[in-house]
């Protein structure tokens, strides 16, 4: 671990990023061409004081989650991300988990989607990063750790994983998840530990998954029309669209209101109500 070198490296990467590159406004009184420390902290979800200590080479060893957030915020390449982990004395995470490196192009597109819910997920449905409206629509998915970080895992093995969908839609969603997972695994090495662990858990814990898996349906989820239950806004009917990275390991997923419904008007309130349940209590 070399915290002094880590601080120097963070400063050098911060100086090269322009505010417009990460969706921040460029004010007329700006004194530095790159990002300010408070802006990097905001993007990474850290306190300003904590980030300042990192650049000074002081403080405690940053966690893997914080390093992943810094790599995304500073638009690091894979090589730069690996170097960041090396300086911090942390092992480079396997590609595919919650700390996976988000492709800079995906991050750039996500930053520009400011009026619609959007997030970057892996091919195993692990959410890597969400914009504010996506968190308001489907909740903050960064709270999930381990195998449960995969939404496919939660869908089949956690009863709470389906609460966001009307019960009548569960069979169609299950079938789509299984077909998509089979397509994703076909692109991976057969010995991929993350994929094999997920598949084994699903086969051992979900008879429904086993039944659908044996049907051998294969189909990536490129676009869907689905209904999502929001605690305040009710059932929202949306189109879910996917943009795949070149290797298929990551997807930019964004949600638009379905035509012919009143969802557009209600989705305009997402940024105001968030995930709060504002339904009055009875009695």
């Amino acid at each position: 671990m070399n915290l002094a070198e880590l601080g120097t490296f963070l400063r050098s990467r911060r100086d090269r990023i322009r505010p417009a590159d990460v969706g921040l406004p460029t004010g007329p009184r700006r004194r530095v061409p790159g990002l300010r420390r408070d802006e990097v902290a905001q993007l990474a979800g850290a306190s300003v004081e904590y980030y300042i200590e990192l650049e000074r080479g002081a403080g405690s060893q940053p966690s893997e989650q914080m390093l992943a957030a810094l790599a995304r915020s500073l638009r690091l390449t894979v090589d730069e991300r690996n170097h960041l982990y090396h300086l911090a004395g942390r092992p480079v995470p396997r590609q595919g988990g919650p700390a996976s490196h988000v492709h800079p192009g995906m991050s750039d597109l996500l930053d520009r989607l400011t009026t619609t819910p959007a997030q970057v997920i892996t091919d195993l449905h692990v959410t890597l990063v969400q914009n504010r409206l996506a968190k308001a629509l489907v909740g903050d998915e960064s709270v999930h750790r381990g195998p449960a970080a995969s939404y496919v895992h939660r869908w089949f093995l956690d009863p709470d994983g389906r609460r966001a969908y009307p019960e009548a839609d569960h069979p169609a969603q299950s079938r789509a998840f299984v077909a998509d997972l089979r397509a994703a695994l076909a692109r991976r090495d057969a010995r991929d530990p993350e994929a094999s662990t997920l598949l084994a858990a699903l086969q051992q814990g979900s008879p429904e998954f086993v039944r659908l898996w044996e049907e051998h349906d294969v189909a990536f989820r490129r676009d869907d029309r689905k209904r999502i239950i929001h605690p305040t806004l009710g059932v929202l009917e949306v189109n879910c669209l996917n943009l795949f990275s070149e290797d298929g390991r990551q997807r930019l997923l964004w949600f638009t209101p379905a035509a012919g419904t009143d969802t557009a008007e209600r989705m305009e309130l997402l940024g105001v109500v968030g995930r709060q349940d504002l339904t009055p209590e009875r009695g």
Side-chain angles (χ1 to χ4, degrees), residues 149-169:
S150 167
Y151 190 58
V152 178
H153 185 282
R154 301 199 304 276
W155 179 266
F156 286 103
L157 300 177
D158 181 357
D160 291 336
R162 303 191 178 196
R163 288 188 175 181
Y165 290 88
E167 188 173 352
D169 298 348

Side-chain angles (χ1 to χ4, degrees), residues 212-257:
L212 294 172
W213 186 257
E214 290 174 351
E215 294 182 8
H216 293 272
D217 289 340
V218 184
F220 280 119
R221 300 189 77 162
R222 292 183 170 86
D223 57 83
D224 281 314
R225 182 161 173 162
K226 62 177 64 173
R227 297 186 297 168
I228 296 176
I229 303 173
H230 189 275
T232 301
L233 303 177
V235 178
L236 302 174
E237 195 160 351
V238 297
N239 297 311
C240 301
L241 308 170
N242 289 271
L243 177 66
F244 289 70
S245 63
E246 186 175 351
D247 63 2
R249 289 292 189 97
Q250 293 184 12
R251 312 172 188 184
L252 177 64
L253 169 65
W254 71 100
F255 305 84
T256 61

Side-chain angles (χ1 to χ4, degrees), residues 156 171-180 182-183 199 203 206-219:
F156 286 103
Q173 292 298 325
S174 293
R175 189 174 297 276
F177 273 128
V178 172
D180 182 87
R182 187 177 282 279
L199 181 58
Q203 290 176 324
S206 172
E208 179 193 19
F209 177 84
V210 172
R211 175 176 56 81
L212 294 172
W213 186 257
E214 290 174 351
E215 294 182 8
H216 293 272
D217 289 340
V218 184

Side-chain angles (χ1 to χ4, degrees), residues 21 33 51 66 97 136 173-174 273 276:
D21 296 337
Y51 182 74
M66 178 53 60
Q173 292 298 325
S174 293
V273 302
Q276 303 175 70

Side-chain angles (χ1 to χ4, degrees), residues 88-142:
R90 296 288 189 185
V92 176
R94 293 198 310 266
Q95 191 65 8
S100 291
H101 183 62
V102 179
H103 190 287
M106 293 283 190
S107 294
D108 290 340
L109 286 172
L110 183 66
D111 286 337
R112 284 160 174 73
L113 293 173
T114 58
T115 60
T116 190
Q119 55 193 34
V120 178
I121 66 174
T122 73
D123 56 342
L124 302 185
H125 293 266
V126 174
T127 299
L128 302 180
V129 62
Q130 299 171 281
N131 68 9
R132 183 174 61 91
L133 292 179
K135 292 179 180 179
L137 178 63
V138 300
D140 185 353
E141 299 195 343
S142 66

